[in-house]
Amino acid sequence: MWYAILGTDVPDSHARRQMARPAHLARLEALRDEARLLLAGPFPAIDAEDPGPAGYAGSLIVAEFEDLAAARAWADADPYVAAGVYAGVEVRPFRRVLP
């Protein structure tokens, strides 16, 4: 089943994000390589493709996991969590309809 993982950043998370980004992306690439990643990306803190020093307000990942517990465990082990980028992470079942 698909699960939506929504991480909400702490204020001024930009430097922490930059530090943890390579490890965070490596985990996403592993999901992609296993054909389990539907989409992933950050929410710019301002209305711009590249928010620069304004940084990001959070992230959305939609990926396939065996169950909610597995999705939660994967989210809890994210390098952004360990680096203190996220103030909180929500994991919800997701039902893809379109496309």
Side-chain angles (χ1 to χ4, degrees):
M1 180 165 184
W2 295 106
Y3 292 88
I5 300 169
L6 178 63
T8 303
D9 281 28
V10 298
D12 301 316
S13 63
H14 188 68
R16 293 178 191 183
R17 267 185 173 267
Q18 293 303 105
M19 180 184 67
R21 189 168 191 261
H24 173 77
L25 288 178
R27 294 179 82 233
L28 292 172
E29 290 164 354
L31 285 176
R32 179 201 60 205
D33 293 348
E34 297 168 2
R36 295 174 45 209
L37 182 65
L38 182 61
L39 64 89
F43 298 113
I46 60 174
D47 188 13
E49 180 74 23
D50 179 357
Y56 297 92
S59 301
L60 173 65
I61 299 163
V62 179
E64 188 175 31
F65 294 94
E66 181 177 321
D67 56 28
L68 182 59
R72 168 63 35 204
W74 189 92
D76 288 346
D78 193 293
Y80 281 178
V81 172
V85 172
Y86 292 149
V89 177
E90 185 177 352
V91 180
R92 296 175 148 205
F94 178 81
R95 185 168 163 253
R96 181 179 179 178
V97 175
L98 292 171

